[in-house]
Amino acid sequence: MKTPPQVKAKIQETCTKMSSESSLALKELALSIRTMSSSSQADPHIVNAKSAAKKLKSLLKMNPWEDTDYLDEIVPATAVSSLLIEIVSSTVKIADSVHELASMAKFKNDVLKQKETGKGKALRVPSIEGSHNVAITVE
């Protein structure tokens, strides 16, 4: 089975964005665990991946395959899209868990983030169920 070019063209960019941003976020989270340092470097990648997932969901609701006559031509594209959306969701949960671990294990604070806040300690408030909001407080 081969996905029709018109369908592939409509979803390829968002699928690529979700994949690459999730990958970058997971690499940053792995580095945070490996170095035992609390970091928010993965957060922008997660925001980008979630934005791409939202865009893909919108594209899929708009029915990009209306010109396609055969259901078996769109199944591969929708399957990949669905799996990538689940990967983004799992990446968010992993990020929240790593941030919670960093807090509980008292990982070193990210020096870069402390410089951005100008003083004190940077804290991240995790939200597994939420929209992955980040709140910074200065102590």
Side-chain angles (χ1 to χ4, degrees):
M1 289 186 271
K2 189 167 183 170
T3 303
Q6 67 272 20
V7 173
K8 186 177 177 182
K10 289 179 182 178
I11 65 171
Q12 184 174 11
E13 181 184 342
T14 54
C15 287
T16 302
K17 181 84 168 171
M18 285 190 305
S19 178
S20 64
E21 293 292 341
S22 293
S23 171
L24 292 170
L26 290 170
K27 286 177 184 177
E28 288 292 337
L29 293 168
L31 180 63
S32 178
I33 292 172
R34 188 173 25 252
T35 60
M36 291 188 67
S37 61
S38 180
S39 174
S40 59
Q41 298 297 316
D43 291 345
H45 299 298
I46 291 171
V47 169
N48 292 339
K50 287 180 64 175
S51 174
K54 187 176 180 179
K55 182 178 177 182
L56 181 61
K57 285 180 186 178
S58 294
L59 282 173
L60 294 176
K61 286 180 183 177
M62 291 178 4
N63 193 7
W65 45 79
E66 59 193 23
D67 298 333
T68 305
D69 294 329
Y70 301 101
L71 181 63
D72 63 345
E73 291 180 344
I74 61 169
V75 169
T78 55
V80 168
S81 299
S82 178
L83 289 171
L84 283 172
I85 290 168
E86 285 301 312
I87 287 171
V88 170
S89 176
S90 295
T91 302
V92 170
K93 290 177 184 176
I94 291 168
D96 287 338
S97 296
V98 169
H99 289 301
E100 184 177 350
L101 171 66
S103 175
M104 293 173 77
K106 302 196 185 322
F107 282 8
K108 297 179 288 187
N109 285 322
D110 186 349
V111 175
L112 176 65
K113 194 50 128 175
Q114 286 182 14
K115 288 180 182 175
E116 287 176 12
T117 60
K119 58 188 168 190
K121 182 177 171 184
L123 297 176
R124 181 183 182 285
V125 180
S127 65
I128 292 174
E129 300 299 324
S131 63
H132 199 76
N133 292 327
V134 177
I136 304 296
T137 58
V138 179
E139 294 180 345

